[in-house]
Amino acid sequence: MEIEKTISSRRAVRAFRPEPVEENTIRSLIGAAIEAPSAMNEQPWSFVVVRSQTLLDRISQNCKEYMTHCLPAGLLPPHLRTSLADPGFHIFYHAPVLIVICSRVDGPWATIDCTLAAENLMLAARSCGLGTCWIGFAQNWLGTEAGKQALKLPAAWLPVAPIIVGHPVEFPPAVARKPPEITWIDQ
Ligand SMILES: Cc1cc2nc3c(=O)[nH]c(=O)nc-3n(C[C@H](O)[C@H](O)[C@H](O)COP(=O)(O)O)c2cc1C
């Protein structure tokens, strides 16, 4: 798929068919992720691939409870609080795979580098017909000691980008974009 088409047709996918994603495909998505630029070529990323549905269910539950009870009141808009209170709401939408891009080093560039890797991964997935969605709902709990243990991460590492991957039921229609604010400075 051409790059422009890949970029413009990538969507946050929240409904997946049950079939698994092949291991080779996951490896090729990670291969695309690590082609991202990184500050001083540090390549600070590490990838955790979770395919255990039991673990994904447990993480979803823990994240919901954490956000409901531990985040400051008012941080989440009411409609998200309503979702969190719904026992049927699964933060990973029952996707077959969660790839968590983690930073192995401290500092702002490492987080940015992991985010660039995440976009590469999502675009590579789109170009081979797979759906993805970054799940920010997972980030707070995954960053706790218990969350890092669930991902088998060393305590000093940071989960940056939790991205679900799967065969989409469909690619949803585009979400409207605001016109870009552009400041031209020519002289
Ligand atoms: C940092 C980040 C966190 C996000 N967290 C969630 C999330 O927790 N749950 C969810 O369903 N979508 C999440 N999204 C997806 C956005 O809602 C989605 O990208 C946005 O609405 C634009 O839609 P599009 O990706 O289809 O263009 C997240 C996206 C980003 C970049």
Side-chain angles (χ1 to χ4, degrees):
M1 192 183 269
E2 284 178 15
I3 185 75
E4 291 84 0
K5 174 89 175 126
T6 304
I7 290 171
S8 63
S9 64
R10 183 216 50 81
R11 297 271 73 81
V13 169
R14 301 184 176 92
F16 298 91
R17 305 200 305 269
E19 61 255 40
V21 181
E22 296 283 330
E23 180 170 330
N24 278 347
T25 306
I26 296 172
R27 287 184 184 278
S28 83
L29 299 183
I30 293 173
I34 66 169
E35 292 297 334
S38 64
M40 296 178 296
N41 197 25
E42 186 142 28
Q43 306 176 44
W45 37 64
S46 179
F47 300 83
V48 179
V49 179
V50 185
R51 292 181 289 188
S52 159
Q53 289 303 306
T54 310
L55 181 57
L56 289 176
D57 292 348
R58 182 160 75 77
I59 295 175
S60 174
Q61 193 54 37
N62 285 333
C63 291
K64 288 168 70 177
E65 284 167 14
Y66 187 87
M67 278 186 293
T68 304
H69 300 300
C70 302
L71 292 189
L75 191 72
L76 286 175
H79 74 280
L80 292 184
R81 287 218 170 259
T82 306
S83 295
L84 292 175
D86 176 358
F89 176 64
H90 195 282
I91 71 162
F92 302 124
Y93 306 101
H94 303 285
V97 187
L98 170 71
I99 301 177
V100 188
I101 306 178
C102 305
S103 166
R104 288 182 281 102
V105 299
D106 206 4
W109 284 339
T111 305
I112 291 166
D113 296 340
C114 289
T115 306
L116 291 168
E119 178 71 344
N120 268 17
L121 188 148
M122 291 190 283
L123 291 176
R126 176 62 191 95
S127 83
C128 62
L130 291 168
T132 58
C133 186
W134 181 314
I135 303 297
F137 265 178
Q139 276 171 266
N140 287 298
W141 185 77
L142 285 177
T144 66
E145 197 181 329
K148 290 180 188 183
Q149 277 172 8
L151 297 179
K152 303 186 192 297
L153 290 185
W157 293 16
L158 182 70
V160 174
I163 298 175
I164 51 173
V165 184
H167 296 275
V169 170
E170 60 173 2
F171 282 98
V175 180
R177 292 315 198 239
K178 299 170 192 164
E181 266 185 40
I182 306 175
T183 304
W184 302 92
I185 301 178
D186 297 324
Q187 287 178 11

